[in-house]
Amino acid sequence: MAPAPIEIDHLTKRFGDVVAVDDVSFEIAEGEIFGFLGPNGAGKSTTIRCLLDLIRPTSGSCRVLGLDSRKDAVEIRRSLGFLPSDLAMYPNLTGRQTLEFLAHLRGGVDWAWVDELCERLDADLGRRVAEYSSGNRQKVGIIQAFMNRPKVAVLDEPITGLDPLVQLEFHAMLRQHVAEGNTVFLSSHTLSEVERVTDRVAFIRHGRLVAVERMDDLRAKAVRRLRLEFAAPVAAEEFLSVEGVHEATADGATLTLQYEGSMAPLLKAATSREVLSVESGSLDLDEMFLEFYRDEVAEAGADADTARGDAADEPTTTGAGGV
Ligand SMILES: Nc1ncnc2c1ncn2[C@@H]1O[C@H](COP(=O)(O)OP(=O)(O)OP(=O)(O)O)[C@@H](O)[C@H]1O
């Protein structure tokens, strides 16, 4: 059996007293788009930097296509595309010159393919990097990550700065890339991106893996909302005992509820009376995300409160501090 494209094995990385990554293990299969989700400072970039041998782990190991990240770093580069979160570029080169420079370092780049990528992402390669918007910089970063048709693409916050239409095209590109037998590892702190494009997702917080879930399973587990309009008044209590329902409120003949899992038991209970309309709400993955990161959210709230308190003591509280 071919080795997994990416294997992270009991990875730990400390910076002095800070444990940035704490005993993290997971594998990514061929043909997967795998999301790595976590708030700022959770340990995503540190994991990626260990994976790519940009920094050395304190303990544990990483493998790419069965090769050891440390010992086989040069060989791994041939099959790898990487979009860092902070791609350094020469400001005086144009986008095209930047790509030519990087292609020269790597060798074996097919320019018809690069032109196709530019067209798909609507990238303007004629201007100097110094004049670029953040979105255009990101497009050049994405193109350089895919220019060698990598078996494994590692992307750190790829949609930063991209407008929604370009995001759609970029996600279509990713799906096409994995359909051709390649693998994508994508880090993000945006739940909506991970939800839209990934097959599985690992949640990381404070350097520790909280969960690794299939997106389909997450969707099945996610809380959904439903609004039913009946021909006659209804009692919410009757629905609270239905399998999967965990909140129900009635207002005359209108029933609003939250449920998870299959809708079948709920529909069976509802259709025992005359239903005039059914309105299905969207999946609420945000609630699941908050469940994983509730402490962080509470801490962020407390920090904001502290910041507001400090600002209030200052003689002038206008500007960001006063908001
Ligand atoms: N070179 C370093 N020296 C000291 N501490 C570091 C260093 N790099 C990262 N850290 C710390 O390690 C922790 C994890 O940082 P990391 O950059 O991996 O998080 P992240 O999940 O990528 O966050 P973000 O979404 O903000 O990029 C943070 O507490 C960070 O301050």
Side-chain angles (χ1 to χ4, degrees), residues 172-185:
M173 254 176 66
L174 294 187
R175 282 190 205 97
Q176 191 180 329
H177 193 65
V178 295
E180 290 164 2
N182 304 305
T183 302
V184 172
F185 180 32

Side-chain angles (χ1 to χ4, degrees), residues 15-83:
F15 296 104
D17 291 341
V18 177
V19 187
V21 177
D22 191 359
D23 195 26
V24 164
S25 300
F26 60 87
E27 278 187 16
I28 307 181
E30 187 176 297
E32 264 193 318
I33 305 180
F34 188 93
F36 199 31
L37 189 70
N40 293 130
K44 304 180 297 293
S45 297
T46 303
T47 304
I48 288 176
R49 287 162 72 208
C50 289
L51 178 70
L52 303 182
D53 194 40
L54 301 174
I55 52 173
R56 297 276 154 100
T58 306
S59 60
S61 62
C62 308
R63 298 179 82 76
V64 178
L65 298 165
L67 301 167
D68 184 85
S69 283
R70 287 192 56 188
K71 285 194 269 166
D72 309 311
V74 176
E75 199 177 339
I76 287 173
R77 292 273 150 180
R78 284 193 211 115
S79 314
L80 191 91
F82 175 43
L83 171 70

